[in-house]
Amino acid sequence: MSMDSSMLLALLLALFIPILLHLVTRRKYASYNLPSGSLGFPLIGQTISLLRALRKNTDYQWYQDRIKKYGPVSKMSVFGSPTVLLTGPAANRFAFCNPDLIFTQTKALNALVGGEELKQVRSAVQGYLRPEMVAPLAKRLTFNITCSVFFGEEAGPIREALATDFEALVKATLSIPVNIPFTKFNKGLSASWRIRKLLSRIARYETTSVLIIFLLRYLANEPDILGNITEEQEEIARNKGPNEPLTWDDVSRMKYTWKVAMETLRTVPAIFGSFRTAIKDIEYQGYHIPKGWQIFTDQIVTHLDTNFFDGPRKFDPARFHNQSSIPPYCFVPFGGGPRMCPGNEFAKTGTLVAMHYLVRQFRWKLCCKEEGKILLQCLFLDSQLILRPEAPLDMLILRVIHMRKYSSYNLPPGSLGFPVIGQSISLLRALRSNTDYQWYQDRIKKYGPVSKMSVFGSPMVLLTGPAANRFVFSNQDLIITETKAANALIGRSILTLSGEELKQVRSALQGYLRTEMVTKCIRKMDEEVRRHIDLNWVGQKTVTVAPLAKRLTFDIICSVIFGQGAGPIREALAADFKKMVQAMLSIPVNIPFTKFNKGLSASRRVRKVLRQIARDREAALQQGHSSSADDFFTYMLVLRSEGTHSLTVEDIVDNAILLLLAGYETSSVLITFLLRYLANEPDILGKITEEQEEIARYKGPDEPLTWDDVSRMKYTWKVAMETLQTVPPIFGSLRTAIKDIEYQGYHIPKGWQVFTAIIITHLDANFFDDPNKFNPARFHNQSSVPPYCFVPFGGGPRMCPGNEFARTETLVAMNYLVRQFRWKLCCKDEEVLPSEMSRMARQVAHILRLERRPSAARGSPSAALTAGRWRCASGQASPPASYLQDAPQQAGSAVRERNNSGLPIYIHVYKSTS
Ligand code: HEM
């Protein structure tokens, strides 16, 4: 056959087949009154032109053209099936309620989402999404929903996997349903089994996000409506705490916002039509619809019909003020009848919660021209529902131009960075590498001493300088920031209290830690220090200071404050407190085997032990066996019986936990750094030793230190202050604004956090001469230090009540350490200090090489005063083998420390030249 003749044959077939089909159909349905319209070209029918209209978002016009040509009921052929297009409310009711119409199933759909499963899943989904289920979910949604607006799901690997699978599935539903490896359809099949059980999510995810996106789009050009929504949402927020989640009641009060959302759904229904298949011959308005044919109703035609809506093209949420005026089946964004969308309550709640946070925080404008082409991507996910296009791309790009009403605010300079993440990662990295000072300096250089940023999901204003310290410490509208981890691990401590309760607890703690109380503790501190040194220092060639200092301060606080002597209970408490501190630094998500989960279990155990101690003290008190000076529990119980406060035993236990954490984590940093600096400051060490020897000279060998002795350790305390100045264990104070406040002409909105970095004033050359030089002499005349420039213990009404306690224990420890040992550092001096962050406290694992002073017996007052001289002998970044052999135990603990913290510990060995 020649080329010409084959082309002729193809042409004839092309002409002949439609005629043949037309004849067959006419014959088959000769007695039927079929709707008008044509079935078009075989298989293709009107598919291409409808698809094109959908993609260009001109589907409304497409339906209108058909209606003009054939009336409200017409036949056509889409996706290979004869289809009757119905429009109007009666058509909607017919499609939604007629029992002889079932959801249309396509081959792709059956394979991808499982035909029979649909029914089962639907009933499960309906149960899951009923309104009662939505109420508790609203709470959980608060923060995550805002993320999911931008990211689609909760961040993390599951979301990533789901996103990939959805994409594969979506592509597959639009592909040729032939299962050949590596085709889109094949990939979609694999994805589908993974997400089959999550079927419900598909509708929720696509529809709700489309609604929110269009809401944002419309609001960009409707400032009055946006103003009304914002007012409604602000009113709801007004009566809530800064981090208090929304409740079901709040969502129910968002009436105006929902009207705007309904108007959006009317103008752009997320699902723009419904397909059904007739399971037997049926009739509609005198027309026959043969068995097996599809019917299709669109929503947009009734939604924009002037017969049912005044000025339907106008975006006017007011039309929903009186919803009963809308005739039935005219507004059907969620479908209707027995197959009405079961997720409507969920979508409503999700949308309203998202809007609550978005409108209160942002203003935006469109980045596409108003009439700009909207990119469409039709989703035939489920042929019962034709979803409106996936998020049209150009709409997603909303330029967020202002922070909500903050347009009228003078916010500090600086950027809030990437949503949620903000500057968290870079600040954390700086804290971990101990370069936070440089980090703050860089910010100050860029934005000045007041700048805004965002850390851990919260907008934050960074303040620096003495005026900033005073402002943060003293402003009554700034409260201590509560963190989820602290709340869960510590409970109802002073950190979470407010009003009268805060006053009572604060004065109780201050009273317990006041000087007269501390003077009574010195004997116990002395005892603990000696025991600790005998056990952990004497006889060792090297020591890792940070964990030892922690253990020392923990032991002191345990015995002094809780009366808990050495023994298995204290050991168990020490291990559990360590876990709690680690949990404080971890992501507060309670999943088994995580640090946070372990911390929570530890906190429960600690609580149990402390509760028992408290109950024992209560019993002893009732029997008249103890006095208020005995320990913290007895003291608090006595105060309660006197009516000074009304804390329960549980509350007292929570505050005891806080006291313990606040106490031992901080003082241990001071002791660690003191030893570190002294290693390279032989003159200063010499002077301290002299002062301590002088005190010891007049005491018996085992006579404990007294308050008088501690009061004479003036020089040693100056050295400690210089250490606190260079390395403040708490490197800043964090507060939350409980209402809009102003600082130096800048506005700080309610709910924002405020952070003052105290290290900046500590190292400011305007207040301290040569601030980077270790020079305790600067504290000879303390009155020369301007107010709020040296604030290691904070200031104002929340100033550390434990400062006297910390001072005393540090001085007692130094007395015994300097008189008995000389040490050298096992790390290079100029090296960046390895550190790990302990909430606000720095910890450093210093390894010291120890040498017992020749004449230093335990408690001996007559040690030689010559300080050893040391020089750096190696440049290694890890301990040399000889070091490991020398001191396997300590080296092992150093390595463990490194493994635990995940941070490198640089170790360089110094050798004695003497
Ligand atoms: C060198 C050791 C210490 C340093 C540098 C230090 C520093 C601080 C700072 C800066 C604050 C205020 C934080 C803020 O404003 O956000 C604070 C609060 C606190 N400290 Fe200390 N502290 C030390 C030792 C202690 C000790 C030994 C105890 C208890 C025995 C203690 C108990 C507390 C308590 C209970 C609070 C909370 C006070 C409140 O919220 O009103 N501290 N500490």
Side-chain angles (χ1 to χ4, degrees):
M1 206 188 283
S2 74
M3 187 72 168
D4 284 353
S5 52
S6 59
M7 274 182 67
L8 189 65
L9 186 63
L11 199 65
L12 280 174
L13 276 174
L15 287 171
F16 182 66
I17 287 174
I19 296 167
L20 190 70
L21 277 172
H22 178 70
L23 290 175
V24 168
T25 310
R26 242 180 75 169
R27 217 195 134 124
K28 190 170 168 192
Y29 301 121
S31 60
Y32 282 46
N33 179 23
L34 293 178
S36 48
S38 122
L39 294 183
F41 209 71
L43 291 178
I44 299 165
Q46 284 75 14
T47 313
I48 293 174
S49 78
L50 176 59
L51 271 181
R52 196 178 304 140
L54 286 169
R55 283 183 201 277
K56 287 201 302 196
N57 216 11
T58 54
D59 50 314
Y60 176 71
Q61 199 47 51
W62 193 88
Y63 301 132
Q64 286 296 1
D65 291 349
R66 272 198 82 79
I67 293 167
K68 209 178 274 171
K69 202 164 167 187
Y70 303 114
V73 185
S74 64
K75 69 172 180 303
M76 58 184 185
S77 164
V78 278
F79 311 118
S81 292
T83 302
V84 176
L85 171 71
L86 312 177
T87 52
N92 289 340
R93 174 194 220 120
F94 176 74
F96 295 146
C97 305
N98 193 307
D100 296 328
L101 291 170
I102 60 160
F103 281 153
T104 300
Q105 289 172 17
T106 62
K107 187 171 177 205
L109 172 75
N110 276 345
L112 292 163
V113 291
E116 197 35 48
E117 259 180 1
L118 265 176
K119 280 188 211 143
Q120 295 163 9
V121 170
R122 188 183 156 90
S123 76
V125 166
Q126 232 164 359
Y128 180 63
L129 296 182
R130 66 191 189 277
E132 309 89 82
M133 290 299 294
V134 179
L137 286 178
K139 194 173 162 197
R140 274 194 16 221
L141 269 172
T142 50
F143 182 68
N144 288 348
I145 198 95
T146 317
C147 300
S148 65
V149 172
F150 294 105
F151 304 122
E153 257 300 330
E154 289 81 22
I158 295 177
R159 189 187 82 197
E160 296 309 312
L162 270 177
T164 316
D165 282 344
F166 278 139
E167 210 172 286
L169 185 75
V170 167
K171 279 184 190 151
T173 50
L174 293 171
S175 67
I176 305 155
V178 178
N179 190 6
I180 299 168
F182 310 115
T183 59
K184 282 185 186 167
F185 186 71
N186 176 271
K187 286 180 191 159
L189 278 180
S190 318
S192 88
W193 76 257
R194 287 194 291 270
I195 55 173
R196 199 169 272 207
K197 290 200 183 93
L198 296 167
L199 185 64
S200 62
R201 279 195 183 193
I202 300 173
R204 188 186 86 206
Y205 159 86
E206 295 295 345
T207 49
T208 311
S209 65
V210 170
L211 169 58
I212 293 173
I213 287 158
F214 275 89
L215 246 170
L216 293 176
R217 185 199 157 94
Y218 283 127
L219 290 179
N221 292 330
E222 298 286 352
D224 293 344
I225 297 174
L226 179 57
N228 292 344
I229 291 190
T230 313
E231 216 169 292
E232 177 173 87
Q233 300 299 342
E234 286 293 352
E235 181 56 35
I236 289 164
R238 219 179 318 276
N239 304 319
K240 305 186 78 71
N243 292 324
E244 202 182 325
L246 287 171
T247 62
W248 182 244
D249 255 11
D250 298 328
V251 173
S252 318
R253 286 169 60 208
M254 300 180 184
K255 291 199 178 359
Y256 181 77
T257 313
W258 184 239
K259 279 175 196 157
V260 181
M262 285 203 287
E263 181 63 352
T264 308
L265 283 169
R266 186 189 66 83
T267 328
V268 193
I271 293 166
F272 59 88
S274 301
F275 271 113
R276 296 287 192 275
T277 301
I279 51 170
K280 60 182 191 188
D281 287 357
I282 48 174
E283 240 189 84
Y284 177 72
Q285 294 191 348
Y287 292 113
H288 286 110
I289 301 172
K291 178 183 171 188
W293 279 37
Q294 295 188 119
I295 68 151
F296 175 67
T297 57
D298 60 89
Q299 298 179 355
I300 191 87
V301 173
T302 35
H303 283 192
L304 296 184
D305 192 330
T306 43
N307 292 312
F308 312 123
F309 297 98
D310 287 342
R313 292 278 173 180
K314 191 173 168 240
F315 189 80
D316 177 19
R319 68 176 86 247
F320 287 99
H321 283 339
N322 178 13
Q323 282 178 54
S324 61
S325 68
I326 300 169
Y329 289 97
C330 285
F331 176 62
V332 284
F334 293 105
R339 306 297 290 262
M340 185 175 164
C341 169
N344 62 353
E345 278 300 332
F346 195 97
K348 179 176 169 181
T349 312
T351 306
L352 291 176
V353 171
M355 293 312 290
H356 177 79
Y357 290 101
L358 289 171
V359 301
R360 288 177 48 244
Q361 290 187 52
F362 303 104
R363 282 297 171 266
W364 54 91
K365 63 182 181 190
L366 284 178
C367 296
C368 60
K369 265 199 266 163
E370 187 46 24
E371 67 284 6
K373 203 177 111 197
I374 300 166
L375 295 178
L376 296 188
Q377 192 179 351
C378 299
L379 301 178
F380 293 87
L381 265 180
D382 177 339
S383 56
Q384 54 164 310
L385 316 162
I386 298 187
L387 292 178
R388 187 138 288 271
E390 194 184 39
L393 290 179
D394 52 354
M395 292 206 173
L396 262 180
I397 309 167
L398 293 167
R399 187 179 307 141
V400 177
I401 45 174
H402 292 304
M403 296 298 295
R404 61 155 170 157
K405 60 181 181 185
Y406 309 150
S407 50
S408 62
Y409 278 42
N410 182 23
L411 293 177
S415 123
L416 295 182
F418 209 68
V420 182
I421 298 165
Q423 284 77 10
S424 314
I425 294 175
S426 76
L427 176 58
L428 267 181
R429 197 177 300 143
L431 286 169
R432 282 181 199 279
S433 58
N434 225 8
T435 54
D436 53 313
Y437 176 71
Q438 198 47 50
W439 194 90
Y440 302 132
Q441 286 294 7
D442 291 347
R443 269 197 86 79
I444 294 169
K445 208 176 274 166
K446 202 162 165 192
Y447 301 114
V450 185
S451 64
K452 70 170 179 300
M453 57 185 186
S454 162
V455 182
F456 309 123
S458 288
M460 183 186 282
V461 177
L462 171 73
L463 310 178
T464 52
N469 292 341
R470 176 197 218 118
F471 175 76
V472 170
F473 295 146
S474 319
N475 193 302
Q476 289 189 347
D477 297 325
L478 292 173
I479 57 164
I480 300 247
T481 300
E482 285 179 38
T483 66
K484 195 179 165 194
N487 282 354
L489 293 158
I490 305 175
R492 250 172 61 84
S493 74
I494 189 172
L495 298 184
T496 60
L497 300 180
S498 59
E500 195 45 41
E501 262 186 325
L502 170 63
K503 262 193 218 154
Q504 289 176 358
V505 175
R506 171 86 202 177
S507 93
L509 287 185
Q510 247 170 334
Y512 182 69
L513 295 169
R514 70 186 188 275
T515 309
E516 303 90 86
M517 295 292 276
V518 176
T519 54
K520 293 183 187 148
C521 302
I522 295 182
R523 184 180 264 274
K524 274 192 183 172
M525 287 182 182
D526 186 283
E527 223 170 80
E528 283 300 331
V529 169
R530 290 188 196 211
R531 198 184 63 84
H532 172 86
I533 290 177
D534 270 355
L535 209 66
N536 301 293
W537 292 64
V538 173
Q540 304 295 341
K541 283 185 180 156
T542 59
V543 285
T544 306
V545 183
L548 282 185
K550 266 192 204 184
R551 190 56 215 246
L552 171 64
T553 50
F554 181 84
D555 285 346
I556 291 176
I557 217 160
C558 258
S559 84
V560 171
I561 292 191
F562 309 118
Q564 185 59 52
I569 295 184
R570 203 203 263 182
E571 289 307 311
L573 279 176
D576 279 338
F577 266 94
K578 195 170 174 190
K579 288 192 186 116
M580 284 171 67
V581 171
Q582 282 171 351
M584 291 270 214
L585 299 172
S586 64
I587 302 159
V589 178
N590 190 7
I591 299 170
F593 310 115
T594 56
K595 281 186 182 164
F596 187 67
N597 177 271
K598 286 180 192 164
L600 282 179
S601 313
S603 151
R604 277 192 292 275
R605 287 191 296 271
V606 164
R607 214 164 246 116
K608 203 171 156 197
V609 172
L610 296 188
R611 205 180 290 131
Q612 189 51 50
I613 299 178
R615 297 242 180 268
D616 293 348
R617 302 293 185 270
E618 206 171 21
L621 202 62
Q622 277 160 9
Q623 291 157 18
H625 292 162
S626 58
S627 81
S628 68
D630 280 359
D631 66 13
F632 178 69
F633 291 113
T634 316
Y635 172 82
M636 291 299 278
L637 290 166
V638 169
L639 283 195
R640 190 177 67 179
S641 67
E642 291 167 353
T644 310
H645 68 78
S646 49
L647 296 190
T648 60
V649 166
E650 223 36 62
D651 291 343
I652 296 175
V653 165
D654 286 353
N655 280 290
I657 294 175
L658 183 264
L659 203 58
L660 214 145
L661 284 172
Y664 93 98
E665 279 286 314
T666 43
S667 307
S668 59
V669 177
L670 170 57
I671 293 174
T672 305
F673 275 90
L674 248 170
L675 293 175
R676 178 193 163 93
Y677 285 123
L678 290 178
N680 291 331
E681 299 287 351
D683 295 342
I684 296 173
L685 177 60
K687 282 188 195 159
I688 288 190
T689 315
E690 214 168 303
E691 178 173 87
Q692 298 300 343
E693 290 291 357
E694 181 59 29
I695 289 164
R697 209 182 316 276
Y698 302 102
K699 302 185 79 72
D702 288 321
E703 200 185 327
L705 291 165
T706 62
W707 181 248
D708 255 11
D709 298 330
V710 172
S711 314
R712 288 168 60 209
M713 299 180 187
K714 290 198 177 5
Y715 182 75
T716 313
W717 184 239
K718 279 174 197 154
V719 181
M721 285 205 285
E722 179 65 355
T723 309
L724 285 171
Q725 194 224 10
T726 323
V727 191
I730 292 193
F731 57 83
S733 288
L734 189 62
R735 300 285 192 271
T736 301
I738 51 170
K739 60 181 189 187
D740 289 356
I741 47 175
E742 242 189 86
Y743 176 72
Q744 295 192 346
Y746 291 115
H747 287 109
I748 301 174
K750 175 184 167 187
W752 280 36
Q753 297 190 0
V754 180
F755 178 70
T756 174
I758 63 175
I759 186 84
I760 296 293
T761 38
H762 281 200
L763 297 183
D764 190 330
N766 291 313
F767 312 122
F768 298 98
D769 288 343
D770 202 355
N772 288 310
K773 186 168 176 249
F774 191 80
N775 175 23
R778 70 174 91 247
F779 288 101
H780 283 339
N781 177 13
Q782 281 178 52
S783 60
S784 69
V785 179
Y788 290 97
C789 284
F790 174 65
V791 282
F793 293 104
R798 305 302 290 261
M799 184 178 165
C800 174
N803 58 353
E804 204 49 67
F805 189 98
R807 186 177 83 97
T808 309
E809 64 182 333
T810 306
L811 293 175
V812 171
M814 291 313 288
N815 176 279
Y816 290 101
L817 288 170
V818 300
R819 287 170 52 236
Q820 290 189 60
F821 303 101
R822 282 297 169 268
W823 54 91
K824 57 188 176 175
L825 276 180
C826 296
C827 68
K828 248 206 277 180
D829 198 28
E830 66 277 14
E831 210 148 32
V832 170
L833 296 176
S835 75
E836 59 183 41
M837 203 187 82
S838 156
R839 188 155 182 254
M840 288 297 202
R842 293 159 197 272
Q843 309 168 359
V844 173
H846 288 302
I847 296 184
L848 298 183
R849 196 173 176 89
L850 276 190
E851 187 176 272
R852 196 116 194 258
R853 297 179 73 214
S855 52
R858 184 172 165 273
S860 158
S862 56
L865 292 179
T866 46
R869 296 266 179 251
W870 310 94
R871 69 174 169 78
C872 180
S874 76
Q876 301 100 310
S878 60
S882 60
Y883 170 81
L884 292 172
Q885 283 153 15
D886 271 355
Q889 194 190 332
Q890 286 68 38
S893 69
V895 173
R896 266 203 304 284
E897 188 76 11
R898 174 170 45 183
N899 291 344
N900 286 345
S901 65
L903 291 161
I905 291 171
Y906 301 99
I907 300 163
H908 296 271
V909 177
Y910 281 66
K911 284 234 169 81
S912 169
T913 54
S914 52

